[in-house]
Amino acid sequence: MVAVAPRRVVIRGGVWREFFVPLTEGMRRQEALESELGRDLNYYDDDEYERAADCYQFPKARRKIENDHGEEWVEAPIPYLVEGRVGTGKTFSIATFLHLLAENFPGIRILVIRQTFESLTDSFKATFEDDVLPPEHEFLNERAMTRGHRKEYVYRNDSRIVMRGFDRPGRTLSTEWDVIYFMEVTDEGVELTNVEQLGRGLRGNRCPFKLFIMDCNPGNEMHWANQGALGGRFRRIVTTWRDNPAFWDAANERFKRKGLDYTSQVKSIYTGPNYDRFVLGLWKTAQGAIFPAFDMSRNVVDLRAVQDERTRKWRVL
């Protein structure tokens, strides 16, 4: 079957470099390898899975894990945190990437999840159906399937994009996935434990790599997502309005009228920390902070430094 291409758009910025470039280059390497072998690689065979996985250069992180049994160094794919001000096209870019995966890796299982299932209707589903899929795609012509009730997109090659909410987990935590996309991790009620629970599901065998993608608008600077990126636990990708093909004319290097109207509107709506978060794309504390001039880099002291440089004893200051 010839895959139906997504709409002709230009994906820009960090999402392009981190997702689309490693994917397309890896697919070329795997195609060359399979052409040399005269057959497709079998991902269920450990040796062939490893050869296929070597074709894809998605970044990994090497971390030291400490537990009751001592210390251990592990290397694993690093989760992505795609962040940015409102309207930068985060959902559109990621949804386009997921559609590309589903079309090219038969049987791949992709999970799209958010705090509530209902919130996916006006976010992922709307963007995927209205902006990513071409108008003639069969998903848009299925009878008796309203957007609000749809729980998955099943491709003819048996690939699946499954949508769930933590309010309706079902078999989500016990199912095998190749790619997980967690939307809006700064939504109220989303905890780091939710991410950790989902991570155990990345054990599918339908593509030679595993990806865990999160996105959000910046929130409180002490939020676990921001702190995880600062500590190297997540790989941060910052998006801007120029990354949104609906707002930015890449050929002429200027904002389209639609982009100018939108950016002017949001600049006039937000004030204070919300302006910093949603317009400037910065992580800031909420309104009502006791110390508005508080700066993590200047006003926080590492007590371990006091212990090493002064008395060699622990002091609480």
Side-chain angles (χ1 to χ4, degrees):
M1 182 191 73
V2 178
V4 179
R7 299 173 189 265
R8 296 184 62 85
V9 295
V10 178
I11 306 294
R12 297 171 54 88
V15 173
W16 168 258
R17 293 190 302 272
E18 298 282 351
F19 295 155
F20 289 88
V21 172
L23 175 65
T24 53
E25 291 180 350
M27 289 171 61
R28 283 196 292 267
R29 294 190 190 98
Q30 183 175 344
E31 183 179 2
L33 178 58
E34 291 177 336
S35 177
E36 180 182 339
L37 295 174
R39 59 180 175 81
D40 294 340
L41 291 171
N42 177 15
Y43 301 145
Y44 287 94
D45 180 274
D46 291 341
D47 292 335
E48 296 199 2
Y49 178 88
E50 185 172 348
R51 295 182 69 180
D54 288 340
C55 296
Y56 298 87
Q57 303 301 314
F58 291 104
K60 295 183 178 181
R62 192 166 186 265
R63 299 173 55 209
K64 183 170 67 174
I65 306 299
E66 298 181 2
N67 51 45
D68 295 339
H69 303 286
E71 297 179 350
E72 178 185 4
W73 284 94
V74 298
E75 184 177 78
I78 183 169
Y80 290 92
L81 177 66
V82 182
E83 65 174 65
R85 62 198 75 181
V86 295
T88 59
K90 297 183 290 295
T91 303
F92 170 76
S93 298
I94 297 172
T96 302
F97 178 70
L98 299 183
H99 178 61
L100 186 62
L101 293 179
E103 290 281 9
N104 288 278
F105 292 89
I108 191 173
R109 296 183 60 84
I110 300 171
L111 173 66
V112 178
I113 192 165
R114 195 169 176 178
Q115 179 67 356
T116 65
F117 178 78
E118 285 74 13
S119 61
L120 289 169
T121 299
D122 295 324
S123 53
F124 180 82
K125 296 179 191 178
T127 299
F128 189 69
E129 295 183 12
D130 295 344
D131 301 327
V132 175
L133 296 177
E136 68 276 10
H137 199 282
E138 59 185 331
F139 291 153
L140 305 181
N141 299 313
E142 291 179 347
R143 296 182 178 180
M145 181 60 71
T146 62
R147 182 178 294 174
H149 291 88
R150 184 187 289 275
K151 296 182 179 179
E152 61 182 15
Y153 298 97
V154 182
Y155 291 70
R156 291 192 177 185
N157 63 2
D158 200 34
S159 296
R160 293 170 182 265
I161 298 179
V162 181
M163 292 156 290
R164 295 288 186 269
F166 262 100
D167 55 337
R168 300 181 186 178
R171 298 171 53 194
T172 300
L173 299 179
S174 60
T175 306
E176 297 181 353
W177 307 103
D178 298 287
V179 177
I180 295 176
Y181 171 32
F182 200 137
M183 298 188 67
E184 296 296 343
V185 293
T186 50
D187 278 349
E188 185 177 355
V190 178
E191 304 292 343
L192 179 58
T193 54
N194 299 142
V195 173
E196 295 173 338
Q197 286 177 319
L198 286 176
R200 70 189 187 191
L202 281 175
R203 55 183 188 272
N205 288 292
R206 298 305 180 94
C207 76
F209 50 83
K210 304 292 175 285
L211 294 175
F212 195 112
I213 304 169
M214 302 174 287
D215 75 1
C216 67
N217 301 122
N220 190 307
E221 60 188 320
M222 297 305 297
H223 191 277
W224 58 263
N226 182 49
Q227 294 301 309
L230 291 174
R233 187 172 185 179
F234 308 136
R235 187 176 181 89
R236 192 195 305 269
I237 301 176
V238 179
T239 60
T240 69
W241 283 321
R242 295 190 179 193
D243 297 334
N244 189 336
F247 293 166
W248 179 253
D249 183 347
N252 297 305
E253 290 291 314
R254 62 181 178 83
F255 278 104
K256 301 177 182 178
R257 176 62 182 271
K258 186 186 300 184
L260 290 174
D261 290 345
Y262 179 83
T263 55
S264 299
Q265 179 184 18
V266 297
K267 287 178 181 178
S268 66
I269 292 175
Y270 295 112
T271 60
N274 283 336
Y275 187 93
D276 294 332
R277 294 175 180 178
F278 303 136
V279 178
L280 301 181
L282 303 175
W283 293 83
K284 289 290 184 178
T285 53
Q287 293 180 348
I290 299 175
F291 303 106
F294 177 81
D295 186 336
M296 285 283 293
S297 63
R298 294 186 294 108
N299 302 117
V300 175
V301 176
D302 188 343
L303 294 181
R304 289 172 295 182
V306 176
Q307 179 189 36
D308 292 338
E309 297 176 7
R310 298 184 61 183
T311 64
R312 301 289 180 177
K313 296 180 180 180
W314 187 263
R315 289 180 180 268
V316 179
L317 304 181

